[in-house]
Amino acid sequence: MKLPMMGVINLIHETEQMGTLTAGRCLATVPFGGRYRLIDFVLSSMVNSGIAKVAVFAHTKFRSLMDHLGSGGNWDLHRKQSGLFVLPPAMEDMTEFGKGDLYQFYRHRDYFVRSPLEYVVIARSHMVCNLDFARVLAEHRDRNLDVTVVCKSWPLARTGLARKVKTDADGRIVEMQDHFGRLASDVVSMEMYLLRKELLIDLVETTLAQGKDHFVRDAIMSRLGELNVGACMHDGFLGVVNTIPAFYRHNMELLDPDVWNELFFRPGPIYTKVKDEPPTRYRSGSAVVNSLVANGCEIEGTVEGSILFRGVKVRKGAAVRGSIVMQNGVIGENGALENCILDKEVEIRPQQQLRGTADVPYLAVKRNVI
Amino acid sequence: MKLPMMGVINLIHETEQMGTLTAGRCLATVPFGGRYRLIDFVLSSMVNSGIAKVAVFAHTKFRSLMDHLGSGGNWDLHRKQSGLFVLPPAMEDMTEFGKGDLYQFYRHRDYFVRSPLEYVVIARSHMVCNLDFARVLAEHRDRNLDVTVVCKSWPLARTGLARKVKTDADGRIVEMQDHFGRLASDVVSMEMYLLRKELLIDLVETTLAQGKDHFVRDAIMSRLGELNVGACMHDGFLGVVNTIPAFYRHNMELLDPDVWNELFFRPGPIYTKVKDEPPTRYRSGSAVVNSLVANGCEIEGTVEGSILFRGVKVRKGAAVRGSIVMQNGVIGENGALENCILDKEVEIRPQQQLRGTADVPYLAVKRNVI
Amino acid sequence: MRRNECIAMLLAGGEGRRLGVLTKDLAKPAVHFGGKYRIIDFTLSNCVNSGIETVGVLTQYQPLVLNQYLGIGSPWGLDRREGGMHVLPPYVRQKGGVWYKGTANAIYQNIGFIERYDPEYVLIISGDHIYKMDYDMLLSAHKSNRADATIAVIPVPWAEASRFGVMSVDEEGRIVEFAEKPKQPTSNLASMGVYMFSWPVLREALIQDEADSQSANDFGKNVIPKLLREGARLYSYRFEGYWKDVGTIDSLWEANMDLLEDEASLNLNDRERRIYSVSPNRPAQYVAPGASVRSSLINEGCVVEGNVNRSVLFYGVKVGKGSLVEDSVLMPGAVVGKDARVIRAIVGEGAVVGDGCQVGAFDSEEIAVVGSGDTVPDARPLLEAKPI
Amino acid sequence: MRRNECIAMLLAGGEGRRLGVLTKDLAKPAVHFGGKYRIIDFTLSNCVNSGIETVGVLTQYQPLVLNQYLGIGSPWGLDRREGGMHVLPPYVRQKGGVWYKGTANAIYQNIGFIERYDPEYVLIISGDHIYKMDYDMLLSAHKSNRADATIAVIPVPWAEASRFGVMSVDEEGRIVEFAEKPKQPTSNLASMGVYMFSWPVLREALIQDEADSQSANDFGKNVIPKLLREGARLYSYRFEGYWKDVGTIDSLWEANMDLLEDEASLNLNDRERRIYSVSPNRPAQYVAPGASVRSSLINEGCVVEGNVNRSVLFYGVKVGKGSLVEDSVLMPGAVVGKDARVIRAIVGEGAVVGDGCQVGAFDSEEIAVVGSGDTVPDARPLLEAKPI
């Protein structure tokens, strides 16, 4: 069913400490889980929830984003009347780049104004989850909230950077702090904000007029007193993928069959760009255990506790352990990797041995020969 | 038939003096001829010639470009293996914006290297013509040229800015100067350069290595001695639309039925984004002569020697003469326009009278109420 | 996830025999209308504008042009990864295939198609009518009435009621009586041939109807009356707005003329609910010096050098110098030469009216028709002798 | 402009009766192959990779799954504004419709479709074979020979030659003799059922063939021999590479096993000439701790907890703990429970092999088959009593 809601995936000033993983791409297109890009999760969630119109507010390094999203056909968003819009930032004035996201919201306000849809959900690209926004909207209406923030109770040690949230007994958010704040709370914000379109436009214009330009900090956090802002709790899997340790850890969590079964299938499937790779070929010497392997790989060696993206080749005698090897990586004969992250198209020479730790994995830059 | 050639439409530093017509859009998406954008002409020519892969090297203000081109389906370029690529500039380093186009060619060299096609034609967006590139390629091969430049013999007073070209008896280009140069020649360059892909890559790398970064000036013009550069003459209509007088004049030339019949139909049709406007409605008081009218207009007044884009309303008693009214313009009751250019969605109040001259038309900025 | 709550089955098999030379090689839904459209554009656009994205189009008569026109559904945004538009011709099994026996049989034969989408509701519509309707409002009424079937109705003049399926309804809109083309109508509420069914009810009704060898397998004649007899919850949904069956030359001409009213009751310019169609990719229309155009609808690609009044010109029409086109419909690519007269006429696709000819007349009762592709040869010598 | 120099007509009506329970509701071209594909993917991809962008797909037997699979052609890049893929079922006219009488009749009935594109050449292919071929090279040979028709040929073992149409050719490749399934073959050059025709020649031949009431309307039996008798320029085009008709359980199993060779003669990993297919949108395959996988092809969405050796697993297959799958093909969504054995077998789509069961055996001559959707119930009690 169609929801009366449009989606915004806001890539403007996404908080990240991803090192060279975001050297040539934006955070939204960092590869994840063997065949996906980070943005696939929130985008598929929106589509599966019945959101038929999604805008991606692009900011920097978005060539990979355009290539990945194309016309949105892979997410069934290639539509006549609505669909997927990648909105690049206004380019004429370079000084605008430094400004906060509200400024770009204002530049893109036509996108909101022209649509008859009543609600907007604004999300980020780096929250890896599978979520039904129809449920969030139902809760938003039932609880009569001004703004609903999707949150997760997450007492674990956190490797990603997430805002912390404090709620009262009714689930109303009474305090919210950036990731570096001292607020002691087990609840983190998933950076998904659902509100009426009219309220959003009002917040954008009022806040900018007050000389402030940051959506969450200036329009939401500073108005927790006046607005009725509620937390809607997400029970399922969450990965906050904006640091290298978080990237490593949340990829490895996919090796838990429960996580695999939930994240990729429930409530709906995760879509990504179709690549037309053949099935993966296990040759006679292959020894693969406890691993996720995408299509198009050719494996003659050993793979343990690892994630292989599309088209990876593991040659004879090579061993890949606790590692993430992105698209078209090649591990030469008798090479050995342990706790490594290889960006796309990295070639490991025969006999080469590389080793990092789970906390500080060895990270190889795209298209390197090592 | 497929040509073994890829197309590049180079929007980097296009020469233009278009005033507010390019305030919120790039030159490529300036509206033209009632329902087109400038880029439609060269893009349709490429497609009709059998070029199945076209890259648009975008530079600034290209949101309108992305909206217009979409996935290329309207030009039948929405393909599995090839098709249309809009390549935004590398955004990470702002200083790169000022650099010449060769720098961006270099950044996009993967696009060339990965393709098996043998030839490249590099064009600009603002040459309004209908051209068969298959014929240009045939001539390029027959004459054994290194570089073929499509040229036009054009002794008329020129309103657009075009490079001048001098050829010898064999049609080889012996001199080429920028539009402000003093070269006395009736021949202008249409800024379409056809050459082998290998030669292009060589020119890009060599010229950049020599510390120069401008494709035409540094890679072509300064090598007229060493390379065999030939002019291939275009016999059909040409509009060089990069100044306001040229914009006005070349639009008005479409009112000549011979031009209309040639430019829009021969050798192939010109494609543009489909808009689903209903047929134009002429009401009882309408008096329209010598005009081009796109769909979706509603006309109750007088229109003479003018061009109406889609969805224009001319109210009772209003008169539009010698004017260009872009999409969704409204001329209120008894309003009068003479020699005006109204950008998109301009509303002229009832009784309002505006008047420019053919040389210096009155130009109204987008979404104004006057 | 993303279930197809409601899918539409569009009956597009009409032959349109009464449209004569205009439907020579054309199914009725493919007949041109309104300067730009084909009749089927209206129902397809209604579906899309109502949020229905899975549409089965049932074809049979002369489907070639229609199939080519429908293509993969992209002009209507129905080229979807899931759902979208599917053309469903009669299916040939090993022992052979036959045309659909009736409207109900056509749906019956495609039960397998419908079940693939597992809908809760199925909308049955026909590609023969011109109207703009929000089927989502029909569905809402259907749900709030907890109806088994809901029939869209429109009041028609009493004199014409006997041409339709008419029904009597109670104060809540529930149908208490239904008569297909009654000689003595007791109501002027006519069925528009637009049915919203709860799928389990329809499925069962179709199976029973197919098993009944006496049935003509028609919704109006058999399925609806039987459901009513059995006490099913049948409701009417009253439609306010323009609705026209364009099954004859006269009604096709009239419906085109209706569009020319200064305040036409069928609004083609409403941008919220556009009518989509295949774009023929023509340049802006050109109105020459010396031409005049009044009270007309003119499409892209036309060249007008003569006089056009109260007429509808499809794309690529040419009207030569000195000619008069009045109260007429000129189908795509029709050419009117110089000094010709086309009055109260429909000129078919690609037809040519030669220099100096006259087609139709102001005082004629009948609408003159030039068949698609036909040529009315030049009449200049005659006219020079005896100008009209 | 942009003429379709060559269009393809793909015969996809095959019933594949000898594939038994695997083609219960499936036309042969829709049968799964190679861990990810359906048979028809190979010919469709060949067309696209050869630059042929207009393909008519002629269906008749059990077309529902095939139609749904083909959709609007987007997985193969054949969802084009002009041309692209068109599904052409037998057409029902008012007097009824019948299945295509033979391969030539199928094309004859679609002359109207072909003429819409006005091609110079028409390629006739079938959706029943596994091979990768550049039809553009076939076309070049056809042109340089100024041939009327060119037939792709492949040498087959002499013992099998009598199963094919075989031909004798002169030193320039011109066909001098052609025999359809001869008892005493005089050549081992077999026709691959891939014909390149100059369209005017084919058109005329089809019309003559249709007029001949004695004809079986088949290319191999009638059209080609007649052209040869009449002295038409018929050439052979010798194909080097993998080509297989997968018409039986044994050949389907063999063709899958052929892919598992370390240097397989059919290269699926060649990125220049990919084989396209519909993406089922599944996550990366998961190989559990304790599993082992060797010499196998495994698709996305699989979960392997047991041992897999020399096997092909389609998307969504599950192999439980302690199970062994060897020399087998597991179709999409097949599930093998715990401690089961699947040896020299084909397990159909969605079939379930229960815990502890054994299907097939190493020493069996025959390939064991579990039909699509069938269940082999748990056998644990039996196995506990008598473990294998």
Side-chain angles (χ1 to χ4, degrees), chain C residues 20-88:
Chain C
V21 290
L22 295 174
T23 50
K24 260 187 305 196
D25 300 313
L26 226 53
K28 184 172 160 194
V31 168
H32 296 282
F33 174 78
K36 174 165 180 174
Y37 311 97
R38 294 185 190 252
I39 296 174
I40 198 171
D41 287 332
F42 286 81
T43 29
L44 284 175
S45 301
N46 284 343
C47 285
V48 174
N49 288 330
S50 308
I52 296 176
E53 295 199 330
T54 302
V55 182
V57 179
L58 292 87
T59 62
Q60 60 187 15
Y61 174 79
Q62 290 286 11
L64 279 182
V65 172
L66 187 59
N67 283 351
Q68 189 174 9
Y69 184 73
L70 295 174
I72 58 174
S74 29
W76 307 273
L78 288 169
D79 51 336
R80 317 241 27 89
R81 199 165 54 86
E82 292 168 21
M85 189 196 70
H86 294 261
V87 176
L88 304 168

Side-chain angles (χ1 to χ4, degrees), chain A residues 1 15 66 180 218 232 256 266 287 290 309 325:
Chain A
M1 296 319 322
T15 304
M66 287 169 63
F180 47 78
D218 302 325
C232 172
D256 176 346
R266 289 196 301 265
N290 190 30
F309 283 67
V325 183

Side-chain angles (χ1 to χ4, degrees), chain D residues 108-147:
Chain D
Y108 172 83
Q109 286 201 32
N110 288 287
I111 285 182
F113 171 82
I114 296 173
E115 288 190 328
R116 240 160 63 187
Y117 296 98
D118 188 24
E120 288 174 53
Y121 306 99
V122 173
L123 174 71
I124 311 284
I125 48 182
S126 125
D128 291 355
H129 301 121
I130 304 288
Y131 63 109
K132 289 174 79 169
M133 182 172 177
D134 187 345
Y135 301 135
D136 198 36
M137 288 173 64
L138 170 62
L139 179 58
S140 297
H142 180 82
K143 285 182 194 170
S144 70
N145 287 329
R146 290 173 296 114

Side-chain angles (χ1 to χ4, degrees), chain D residues 271-282:
Chain D
R271 292 188 180 183
E272 296 302 306
R273 300 187 75 80
R274 279 182 202 273
I275 304 301
Y276 301 105
S277 70
V278 175
S279 165
N281 238 314
R282 302 296 174 98

